[in-house]
Amino acid sequence: MIDHMTLRVRDVARSIDFYAKALAPLGYVAKAHHEPTIGFGVDDGTAHSDFYVSPAAETGEEQAGAVCPVTHIAFLAPSREAVHAFYEAALAAGGRDNGAPGPRPYHPGYYSAFVLDPDGNNVEAVVDWAHGGAASEGVETE
């Protein structure tokens, strides 16, 4: 199951305006504000966003030679153990480390791992409190 994805765009303000209007009939609203990245999700009273719009390159990334993936996609994992298994399997299959398994500062209960696929796309496996993940399993989060 897909948890969320991020589109990298050339003009973030224009794209946010476009998606805010285009997705409104589907019940989507801007929810996560990690400026300049904005997350959209169904207006369901939770903080969970499943579609993000982000600039194609952050300031200095291209000059520093950092990888700027075209796409970010996160797959929902059933447990922290599955996040670790994903990470190890992806590295063994030729992926490159982009963030070892562990808690993330996005919000309490968010635990994930990141790998870059052979084309440099950022692939994540995540246990997220919004989906009954680590927080509902009684696992202490950092």
Side-chain angles (χ1 to χ4, degrees):
M1 177 182 286
I2 295 174
D3 183 74
H4 65 272
M5 68 178 294
T6 301
L7 289 183
R8 297 287 189 140
V9 299
R10 287 181 295 230
D11 184 334
V12 73
R14 181 182 66 193
S15 292
I16 288 169
D17 182 60
F18 169 80
Y19 283 108
K21 292 173 182 172
L23 298 177
L26 303 177
Y28 273 63
V29 297
K31 296 171 81 171
H33 295 267
H34 306 290
E35 280 79 3
T37 298
I38 299 295
F40 293 90
V42 176
D43 190 7
D44 61 2
T46 72
H48 184 259
S49 297
D50 55 19
F51 176 69
Y52 291 80
V53 176
S54 188
E58 300 294 333
T59 305
E61 277 186 348
E62 291 176 320
Q63 294 84 355
V67 174
C68 181
V70 174
T71 302
H72 165 74
I73 188 165
F75 293 93
L76 188 60
S79 66
R80 289 180 176 203
E81 292 78 15
V83 169
H84 285 263
F86 154 82
Y87 180 77
E88 295 301 325
L91 293 179
R96 292 177 288 144
D97 170 66
N98 200 31
R104 303 290 182 235
Y106 311 134
H107 52 256
Y110 198 104
Y111 189 92
S112 68
F114 299 88
V115 297
L116 298 176
D117 76 4
D119 293 306
N121 293 301
N122 191 29
V123 184
E124 176 184 14
V126 58
V127 174
D128 188 345
W129 63 270
H131 297 291
S136 68
E137 293 174 4
V139 177
E140 186 174 313
T141 59
E142 298 180 6

